[in-house]
Amino acid sequence: MDTHNNIAVIVGITAVISTVYKLLIEPSIDAKIAGLETKGFLAIDTFKSNLNDKIIVLDRKVDIHLQDYTNYKEANLLHNNGLNEKINHTWNKTKELFSEEKATRKEIQAFFQKQHGSKNPN
């Protein structure tokens, strides 16, 4: 009967240990797990917030650079168009001067032909 008593004592001690574990240790483990989950969620939320702030800053920088590029492109286009207009104006003025010069030259050649009666070689 001695083994029967020993088994009863071992079962009793095991029951007491499991009860102590269930009442004292397991709730503290659950609280620690809940605390870790909360800290994890807070860390994720903080990371998302920081990442969102960085994305907003980068978006603003990109917008500024795009606006600068657009302004630079428009300024170059205006300058290019101004130069084209100036070149066309000068070219048209030069064509008018050459046509006037050609007309004057023909008048002078006609005058010399009338005066001398000979053809002027070109």
Side-chain angles (χ1 to χ4, degrees), residues 45-61:
D45 288 341
T46 304
F47 178 73
K48 281 188 347 185
S49 176
N50 290 341
L51 188 61
N52 192 27
D53 291 343
K54 287 182 181 182
I55 288 172
I56 289 171
V57 168
L58 288 174
D59 187 43
R60 287 181 186 157
K61 286 182 180 180

Side-chain angles (χ1 to χ4, degrees), residues 15-103:
V16 170
I17 290 175
S18 67
T19 305
V20 169
Y21 176 79
K22 287 280 189 186
L23 293 176
L24 298 177
I25 297 173
E26 193 172 288
S28 69
I29 290 175
D30 288 341
K32 287 180 182 177
I33 290 173
L36 287 176
E37 286 176 349
T38 304
K39 287 180 184 177
F41 290 140
L42 288 175
I44 289 171
D45 288 341
T46 304
F47 178 73
K48 281 188 347 185
S49 176
N50 290 341
L51 188 61
N52 192 27
D53 291 343
K54 287 182 181 182
I55 288 172
I56 289 171
V57 168
L58 288 174
D59 187 43
R60 287 181 186 157
K61 286 182 180 180
V62 167
D63 286 343
I64 290 170
H65 287 295
L66 285 175
Q67 187 62 42
D68 284 346
Y69 173 73
T70 302
N71 293 341
Y72 175 77
K73 183 178 156 187
E74 288 177 3
N76 281 337
L77 185 64
L78 287 173
H79 181 69
N80 190 24
N81 288 340
L83 289 176
N84 283 339
E85 287 178 12
K86 192 173 184 179
I87 289 169
N88 288 336
H89 174 72
T90 304
W91 180 252
N92 290 335
K93 190 175 177 181
T94 304
K95 279 176 34 178
E96 288 175 14
L97 289 174
F98 277 135
S99 65
E100 288 175 11
E101 181 67 31
K102 189 175 180 181

